Amino acid sequence: MKSIYSLTLLLLFLPTANADNRSHQLAAEQVLQATYAEQVVPQALQQLKASYSHMVKDLPLHPSQAPLETRYRQRAFLLAQQQLSWQQLKPQFIQLYTDTYTESELKEIAQFYRTESGKKYLKNMPSTLRQTSVIVHKYMQTIQQEFTTIVNELAEQADLKTPPSHAH
């Protein structure tokens, strides 16, 4: 009797839970649309193409081997296009967003990115992130230099003959 009661409850609430899950996923899709997340694919493909070019630039290929290199480049780029597509990424992005944010939060996020301020934020975000990275990197370099001084002082106080190498 208890198992029939449990099964009945499960069957009654399963459609509601599934509908809630679908609306949560739709809210995540709204964020992806509002943030132009699909643009990550062509950007990533461009980075992969640049990476491939960097990998082959120092190969001692003879000019007569250009057609051979072209075939391999096309093979590499086709591989990248096949393995990195929006259809493959989108479900994973939706899962990430639904695991991280409530449906209500996702709706608020999507709403923000549709505002003028949100659109400006998205437009300027890559540049802003690059600039903040430069600022942080500058401080890290200074601190790293100070670490070197401190480690050298430690080596001296510990009567070590050769200070440790700091090549990073």
Side-chain angles (χ1 to χ4, degrees):
M1 185 68 173
K2 186 177 182 183
S3 63
I4 292 175
Y5 177 73
S6 298
L7 181 60
T8 303
L9 282 177
L10 178 65
L11 292 174
L12 285 173
F13 290 107
L14 189 60
T16 305
N18 204 11
D20 286 346
N21 187 36
R22 184 64 191 138
S23 65
H24 195 181
Q25 290 174 343
L26 288 172
E29 284 187 56
Q30 290 174 359
V31 171
L32 294 177
Q33 290 168 358
T35 59
Y36 310 104
E38 194 168 343
Q39 291 179 3
V40 75
V41 173
Q43 292 169 359
L45 288 172
Q46 280 304 113
Q47 289 176 357
L48 285 169
K49 287 179 179 182
S51 174
Y52 177 86
S53 295
H54 182 72
M55 291 172 76
V56 299
K57 76 175 173 63
D58 293 330
L59 289 177
L61 294 173
H62 188 272
S64 66
Q65 295 173 309
L68 177 66
E69 190 280 325
T70 298
R71 283 199 316 273
Y72 277 87
R73 182 174 3 100
Q74 289 170 341
R75 178 178 156 197
F77 293 173
L78 180 62
L79 171 83
Q81 288 173 335
Q82 290 171 340
Q83 292 189 13
L84 185 66
S85 72
W86 181 241
Q87 291 75 23
Q88 291 168 311
L89 294 176
K90 184 179 175 182
Q92 294 177 55
F93 283 17
I94 289 172
Q95 187 66 52
L96 171 65
Y97 279 58
T98 56
D99 288 349
T100 306
Y101 303 103
T102 66
E103 182 178 344
S104 176
E105 290 168 334
L106 288 168
K107 288 178 180 179
E108 289 175 14
I109 292 167
Q111 184 178 4
F112 166 72
Y113 282 120
R114 288 189 183 110
T115 66
E116 290 307 311
S117 296
K119 289 175 186 177
K120 182 175 181 179
Y121 178 81
L122 285 172
K123 178 183 173 200
N124 293 319
M125 187 175 21
S127 173
T128 303
L129 289 175
R130 264 193 311 278
Q131 291 175 41
T132 57
S133 179
V134 167
I135 292 167
V136 170
H137 185 69
K138 182 177 86 173
Y139 280 88
M140 289 176 65
Q141 284 180 320
T142 301
I143 293 168
Q144 195 68 34
Q145 290 169 352
E146 292 175 17
F147 279 4
T148 299
T149 300
I150 291 169
V151 170
N152 287 337
E153 288 175 12
L154 167 64
E156 185 179 317
Q157 287 293 314
D159 289 326
L160 299 177
K161 303 269 188 245
T162 311
S165 171
H166 304 294
H168 284 286

